[in-house]
Amino acid sequence: MAFLSIIRRWALREHLSIREIARRTKLSRNTIRKYLRSGAVELEFKVAERPSKLDPFAAKLSGWLKTEAGKSRKQRR
């Protein structure tokens, strides 16, 4: 993520204080400190696998789409 690289550049190259980086980014000082200590280049968010509400109807819907694709433009729904 470009945001982390900006924070790291300000801290390591331009030697800005954590308070100044927090002021510029509108993030808390604790968050800036956490990003700098972690050494991560990109943020990684864990997303839980959740089934879709349309999963029970997926076969029926894909069948409908296939039949509609063969029709002319004005006959499609």
Side-chain angles (χ1 to χ4, degrees):
M1 181 178 230
F3 201 60
L4 282 180
S5 63
I6 290 171
I7 291 172
R8 291 176 58 80
R9 184 180 335 120
W10 283 344
L12 301 175
R13 287 186 189 168
E14 298 180 17
H15 304 291
L16 292 179
S17 66
I18 291 176
R19 183 171 291 198
E20 179 61 27
I21 295 170
R23 190 176 297 126
R24 289 184 183 187
T25 59
K26 307 270 193 287
L27 295 173
S28 72
R29 292 181 308 213
N30 293 336
T31 305
I32 301 296
R33 194 173 291 118
K34 179 180 74 172
Y35 288 162
L36 292 174
R37 284 183 184 163
S38 71
V41 180
E42 294 184 12
L43 291 176
E44 295 179 10
F45 296 103
K46 295 178 183 176
V47 179
E49 284 292 323
R50 288 179 272 178
S52 172
K53 290 185 178 184
L54 296 177
D55 281 346
F57 312 104
K60 194 173 199 176
L61 289 172
S62 63
W64 284 348
L65 288 173
K66 286 178 186 175
T67 59
E68 293 291 320
K71 294 181 180 179
S72 66
R73 182 178 59 89
K74 291 190 175 185
Q75 296 296 319
R76 291 184 196 155
R77 288 186 236 165

